Amino acid sequence: MSKSPNILIPAMGGTALVLGLAFGISSREYGAAKIDSLETRVAQVEAHASSAGQKAKSEAARAAALEAQIAEVQAAAAANPKTLTMPAPQSDGAYGLGRSALAEEIAAWDVDVLPDGRGLPEGSGDAFDGEEVFADKCASCHGDFAEGVDNWPVLAGGFDTLADKDPVKTVGSYWPYLSTVWDYIHRSMPFGEAGTLTADETYAIVAYILYSNDLVEDDFVLSHENFAAFDMHNKGGFVVDDRPELEYASWRAEPCMSDCKGEVKVTMRSVFLVETPEVGTVSVMNHGTLDGVPSFTADGPSFIPVSTSPAPQAEPEPATQPVPKPVEAAASPGEDALVAAGEKVFKKCKACHQVGAGAKNRSGPQLNGLIGRTMGSVDGFRYSKVFAQALEEGRVWDEESLVAFLTKPKTYMKGTKMSFAGLKKDADLDAITAYLKSVGE
Amino acid sequence: MDEMFKPSRRAFLRGSAAVAAGTVAGGAAAQVPDPLITELQDWASYTGAGVDETPYGMPISYESHVIRRNVEWLTASPISSINFTPIHALEGTITPQGCAFERHHSGAIELRKEDYRLMINGLVEKPLVFTYEDLERFPRENHVYFCECAANTGMEWAGAQLNGAQFTHGMIHNMEYTGVPLRTLLVEAGADLDQDKWVYVEGADASSNGRSIPMEKALDDVLVAFKANGEALRMEHGYPVRLVVPGWEGNMWVKWLRRIEVVDRAVESREETSKYTDVYEDGTARKWTWVMDAKSVITSPSPQMPIPHGPGPLVISGLAWSGHGQITRVDVSRDGGITWETARLGKQGDTKALTRFYLDINWDGAPMLLQARAMDETGYVQPTKSQLRAQRGENAVYHNNCIQTWYVNEKGVAENVEVS
């Protein structure tokens, strides 16, 4: 496109029109937006003026006039701060929305416990009873002695490690308030069965955790009465955010732009290379060394490729085969609804068990192809004694045994580590059975 | 051609083949007529998909690699875990909900709007219960904010660990929220608004995640949000209602918000004592570290986004954000911090929201040590890893906002590294 001086004529007309509009609307934001576009236009005018010989003078004058008008618009906008964009209006509580919360409702939900013990219900429990409840409901993840299984949290020990590299932050070594322990266990534990512990069970578990940290004797009774008096080991171990004093004060400075360092070397390469297949990730160790990695100075990298032309062409590799989609075992159409219902019931199990493609052992064994599988036979899973015995006896999971087990796990398999109370409804039992049947190997 | 955009290591190894393909497609001097142009293509002849074939549209299959990913061994169970936003493959600033990172403490729950209740109690004149419908009757606001997990980049305290911007910096998303100011609900209940009071917020899921927020912040810009990017929140982000705590660590953005309690002190819940606190070298710990300091990262080139072409025009693209307000400037270094150039901001940064920056260069094909350094409206300058370690030691987990380095070699392959 060639630049013709005539192009500017409609542009100037448009500018005048815009100016008129800007005057007409006394909104600061609207005015500001228009000022931006006017400034762009003025820039165009000025650019053109410099290159358009004869017309330069008159257009420069025109530009000056526009600038004066812009100043006028800005002044008008500043004089009238009313804007059409505003935050939501604030009221004095007159909306009258919502309804009064009833005392029973507040009691049901307002169960948090404060460090001074406010919020605790009446009750008590000792470490001795706590050990039993803990073994039943907590040990499958946290270990019999609160030492933690796999990646699950360690609850005991770690004293005097907080200043070490990799501190061990447990309830005993790190948690500053006992109220936090009680509150969290009562509301959020056991994982997958939150909110099912009674007040006495919670007191007992907390007492046992203190015992496992060697903070009390096994006959120690914790209750709402002696609770607030118990000081945790790390109570004084916390300071409130001090970044403003320690960091912000010195890190708010104009940064260096050139010759900020002498030589820069790579000191460490990524430990893992994370591959990203169609789904998920695969982490592999990076075997790259620092050999051959260039260092840098203000003159550039120590290694500069000989030629700056594009890299030599390599033989193109044949296209890779598309990754096959995981095959899902199909259920017969009539059972679809039941299987879907079973998948929902399975939410109760998901905290510990996986099924489907790529299912792995977690706190519980993976459940692919469960029906027809020998009990206690999943490789790499540490079963309880009762399941090890079932394996020896060659007992096989069928629908009947599964339903019996899931109805009352601890009765059917006495000694199982599975901390699940059982399914009460026949419909749920049918559904979960159908679902587990639908998930093949 | 598809292959070269697939961010797998195999694709990296094929880097030179990809360069060759790129040259043919992008080069000015094609030797052979391009059949994509000279031959009639199927899509130019046959008809395509009709309307309603996908009532709710998903990204085209060619983009199926742009997804959230987790790193399995990081946590004990996917129910209480985190995954990462594919920030390396996104542009602009808004994160689509479907690939915005998830962090659950007891899994994402399905809670119907009809079953939703929000209670406000404690130091209030009128303890109230709101339904979802009630919330939609209060005056509402729209704001774009970033939500960053305090543990974002946490792995990297120990050194260069995970190879990809998605994994080092992907615990972040940025959405336009629609919601009611928390202030409005506090006033509605006649809450004690004294500055020494606290607001304890709690979720409806099994983890019952709860955090204490000082009254000053609660009255400032906290939103009780029910929409993101124009549509309902996704289940994994707290449908139907979540809290938005602008500029503050993601754990405080309580999902499935069910209760707001006005209290006279911090509750000292699990997530504000045993977690989301950092241990110094002397064994004392820092708590109540709510604000996310200024931070930036180059998203492309990056380990999952190698340079697919040879020397010549190259767009260096990245993200910057600050919990203290607007990003005012981002500098980029190509030599590991010796020399810095000020980058171009995609647009004026919104307060406490992601800002996109660019450095448009003519790459000479020489290796680079790419870094970005953000500055916010308070004048705060994003620190180096050495500065952070000197100040906090190496036992920290959270709030790592260090300058990130990507080593880009002469083939355009990028790797997460640490530099002197």
Side-chain angles (χ1 to χ4, degrees):
Chain A
M1 271 211 298
S2 65
K3 280 189 183 172
S4 151
N6 293 335
I7 287 175
L8 270 170
I9 293 167
M12 302 258 283
T15 306
L17 191 66
V18 166
L19 269 174
L21 270 173
F23 275 115
I25 296 177
S26 56
S27 148
R28 172 186 277 176
E29 303 228 340
Y30 191 80
K34 289 306 158 200
I35 287 163
D36 283 349
S37 70
L38 285 176
E39 282 170 345
T40 310
R41 294 276 165 80
V42 171
Q44 287 173 349
V45 170
E46 284 177 342
H48 180 72
S50 66
S51 67
Q54 281 196 330
K55 291 195 174 176
K57 255 189 187 172
S58 64
E59 287 180 357
R62 177 68 178 143
L66 285 174
E67 270 178 26
Q69 282 178 299
I70 287 165
E72 230 174 302
V73 173
Q74 281 173 327
N80 186 356
K82 190 173 187 301
T83 163
L84 296 179
T85 53
M86 282 185 288
Q90 293 186 39
S91 83
D92 54 1
Y95 292 106
L97 295 170
R99 62 162 177 84
S100 291
L102 303 180
E104 299 91 319
E105 293 172 332
I106 296 173
W109 274 8
D110 185 359
V111 294
D112 61 89
V113 180
L114 298 172
D116 53 20
R118 275 182 289 163
L120 277 173
E122 288 186 11
S124 65
D126 63 24
F128 195 73
D129 290 342
E131 181 172 16
E132 208 169 304
V133 189
F134 191 90
D136 195 24
K137 306 203 174 207
C138 320
S140 61
C141 294
H142 295 294
D144 286 337
F145 307 101
E147 77 279 14
V149 175
D150 300 332
N151 264 352
W152 297 103
V154 185
L155 306 180
F159 292 89
D160 304 319
T161 67
L162 296 185
D164 298 352
K165 190 167 171 58
D166 300 322
V168 182
K169 297 188 271 186
T170 71
V171 170
S173 71
Y174 193 61
W175 291 39
Y177 303 104
L178 192 59
S179 59
T180 314
V181 190
W182 202 98
D183 184 37
Y184 182 69
I185 292 170
H186 185 234
R187 274 199 284 164
S188 312
M189 288 285 117
F191 193 61
E193 275 181 290
T196 60
L197 295 173
T198 65
D200 286 348
E201 281 175 330
T202 310
Y203 282 109
I205 292 171
V206 174
Y208 176 70
I209 293 173
L210 294 176
Y211 169 71
S212 65
N213 275 287
D214 291 328
L215 295 171
V216 297
E217 298 300 318
D218 63 359
D219 58 357
F220 174 74
V221 181
L222 183 68
S223 74
H224 61 281
E225 285 169 327
N226 66 357
F227 193 96
F230 195 93
D231 275 345
M232 296 292 275
H233 173 77
N234 197 36
K235 185 183 180 184
F238 289 80
V239 295
V240 172
D241 189 3
D242 50 6
R243 287 176 295 174
E245 302 80 42
L246 295 181
E247 299 178 359
Y248 300 164
S250 51
W251 293 350
R252 282 177 180 151
E254 185 60 26
C256 172
M257 293 301 283
S258 59
D259 295 318
C260 306
K261 297 175 178 177
E263 191 186 30
V264 172
K265 284 187 169 155
V266 172
T267 53
M268 181 177 185
R269 298 179 63 169
S270 181
V271 172
F272 300 99
L273 298 173
V274 190
E275 295 186 25
T276 53
E278 293 287 300
V279 176
T281 54
V282 180
S283 301
V284 292
M285 298 299 286
N286 180 8
H287 297 296
T289 65
L290 296 177
D291 294 343
V293 177
S295 60
F296 288 69
T297 64
D299 297 331
S302 59
F303 163 75
I304 298 174
V306 207
S307 162
T308 53
S309 62
Q313 295 193 6
E315 284 296 310
E317 286 185 22
T320 49
Q321 294 296 316
V323 178
K325 293 248 159 39
V327 183
E328 287 175 27
S332 66
E335 279 208 342
D336 276 357
L338 197 58
V339 169
E343 192 174 359
K344 287 202 167 164
V345 177
F346 189 71
K347 285 182 179 177
K348 294 181 198 274
C349 323
K350 269 166 85 174
C352 303
H353 292 285
Q354 293 190 346
V355 281
K360 293 199 172 71
N361 295 333
R362 292 290 175 181
S363 304
Q366 58 87 0
L367 299 178
N368 284 345
L370 180 71
I371 300 290
R373 190 167 96 184
T374 308
M375 292 180 184
S377 66
V378 172
D379 277 350
F381 185 78
R382 293 192 302 264
Y383 284 96
S384 52
K385 276 186 194 156
V386 65
F387 272 106
Q389 197 184 334
L391 174 67
E392 264 179 41
E393 293 166 3
R395 291 170 64 189
V396 173
W397 284 114
D398 55 18
E399 290 186 33
E400 201 182 333
S401 54
L402 182 64
V403 167
F405 179 58
L406 291 181
T407 307
K408 278 196 168 176
K410 287 190 194 304
T411 307
Y412 186 75
M413 293 300 267
K414 198 167 166 47
T416 178
K417 284 193 287 184
M418 187 166 92
S419 65
F420 179 64
L423 292 170
K424 294 186 183 67
K425 295 179 191 158
D426 285 347
D428 285 352
L429 287 162
D430 289 348
I432 191 98
T433 307
Y435 174 64
L436 289 175
K437 269 169 70 184
S438 76
V439 191
E441 285 291 350
Chain B
M1 283 295 291
D2 274 345
E3 282 303 311
M4 73 187 236
F5 293 113
K6 264 189 199 150
S8 72
R9 183 150 174 266
R10 275 176 308 168
F12 299 171
L13 296 175
R14 275 200 302 277
S16 51
V19 167
T23 310
V24 173
Q31 304 279 321
V32 187
D34 186 345
L36 284 168
I37 298 171
T38 56
E39 290 172 16
L40 180 62
Q41 302 296 321
D42 285 353
W43 59 80
S45 184
Y46 307 148
T47 55
V51 297
D52 279 354
E53 217 157 281
T54 321
Y56 190 98
M58 294 294 286
I60 195 165
S61 60
Y62 311 133
E63 295 295 316
S64 61
H65 58 284
V66 184
I67 49 173
R68 300 182 279 231
R69 294 175 190 275
N70 78 354
V71 175
E72 217 173 73
W73 47 265
L74 281 179
T75 50
S77 154
I79 308 289
S80 176
S81 190
I82 190 141
N83 59 18
F84 305 92
T85 307
I87 53 168
H88 63 289
L90 301 177
E91 254 297 334
T93 57
I94 295 293
T95 313
Q97 292 202 74
C99 65
F101 84 96
E102 308 167 75
R103 201 289 187 239
H104 315 309
H105 292 76
S106 283
I109 58 168
E110 288 179 64
L111 178 56
R112 299 191 317 156
K113 282 178 184 167
E114 293 83 348
D115 298 337
Y116 178 78
R117 298 290 182 273
L118 174 62
M119 181 185 289
I120 178 162
N121 74 311
L123 301 173
V124 300
E125 287 166 19
K126 300 167 286 181
L128 294 173
V129 173
F130 301 113
T131 62
Y132 180 84
E133 279 184 348
D134 291 334
L135 293 182
E136 286 205 336
R137 295 175 66 190
F138 285 102
R140 65 186 81 139
E141 293 184 3
N142 294 290
H143 298 278
V144 177
Y145 294 120
F146 75 81
C147 172
E148 183 185 18
C149 177
N152 200 17
T153 322
M155 282 292 293
E156 305 294 308
W157 276 111
Q161 298 282 322
L162 297 170
N163 207 32
Q166 177 169 21
F167 306 107
T168 56
H169 289 76
M171 296 183 195
I172 191 164
H173 56 61
N174 193 63
M175 303 190 198
E176 184 197 45
Y177 293 98
T178 302
V180 178
L182 175 56
R183 180 199 326 115
T184 304
L185 301 185
L186 290 170
V187 170
E188 184 77 17
D192 183 342
L193 303 181
D194 281 354
Q195 294 288 302
D196 61 348
K197 299 298 181 292
W198 294 71
V199 172
Y200 180 70
V201 287
E202 177 183 281
D205 62 317
S207 80
S208 183
N209 179 29
R211 291 293 301 256
S212 310
I213 299 173
M215 185 58 77
E216 184 183 3
K217 178 69 174 178
L219 295 177
D220 180 18
D221 54 5
V222 178
L223 281 182
V224 175
F226 42 82
K227 300 277 159 124
N229 297 345
E231 56 182 2
L233 293 167
R234 294 286 166 88
M235 172 179 79
E236 60 269 36
H237 301 129
Y239 177 94
V241 177
R242 87 171 305 169
L243 202 67
V244 168
V245 190
W248 288 22
E249 60 189 21
N251 181 254
M252 308 180 83
W253 297 44
V254 168
K255 299 189 286 189
W256 313 290
L257 179 70
R258 82 167 189 186
R259 199 168 67 91
I260 298 164
E261 182 183 1
V262 180
V263 276
D264 60 8
R265 58 162 300 155
V267 167
E268 305 283 5
S269 70
R270 176 190 188 248
E271 310 299 334
E272 54 200 16
T273 53
S274 78
K275 305 288 170 185
Y276 303 97
T277 52
D278 279 310
V279 180
Y280 290 125
E281 270 179 326
D282 68 357
T284 59
R286 181 186 270 175
K287 70 171 182 177
W288 299 356
T289 46
W290 303 308
V291 184
M292 302 307 296
D293 289 332
K295 188 165 170 178
S296 65
V297 65
I298 290 170
T299 52
S300 177
S302 67
Q304 295 159 285
M305 296 290 279
I307 302 172
H309 52 76
L314 171 68
V315 175
I316 297 173
S317 177
L319 291 168
W321 61 94
S322 169
H324 292 280
Q326 283 184 318
I327 287 294
T328 49
R329 182 173 130 194
V330 180
D331 300 323
V332 172
S333 175
R334 293 189 248 172
D335 56 15
I338 301 169
T339 318
W340 295 87
E341 300 160 84
T342 297
R344 174 168 71 85
L345 301 187
K347 69 178 180 108
Q348 181 64 49
D350 285 326
T351 187
K352 302 167 191 176
L354 292 190
T355 296
R356 176 64 63 176
F357 67 85
Y358 297 107
L359 190 70
D360 310 289
I361 67 166
N362 190 18
W363 183 43
D364 61 4
M368 298 184 280
L369 289 175
L370 284 181
Q371 298 183 330
R373 179 177 70 190
M375 286 178 71
D376 69 21
E377 62 178 81
T378 70
Y380 177 93
V381 182
Q382 184 184 357
T384 62
K385 221 180 223 186
S386 324
Q387 276 177 298
L388 280 177
R389 283 183 181 149
Q391 192 59 249
R392 304 185 196 169
E394 289 185 32
N395 281 339
V397 175
Y398 306 100
H399 291 276
N400 181 354
N401 66 324
C402 71
I403 290 174
Q404 172 67 41
T405 311
W406 305 130
Y407 163 50
V408 181
N409 72 13
E410 70 285 359
K411 295 193 180 85
V413 174
E415 188 178 317
N416 178 12
V417 297
E418 273 187 27
V419 294
S420 56

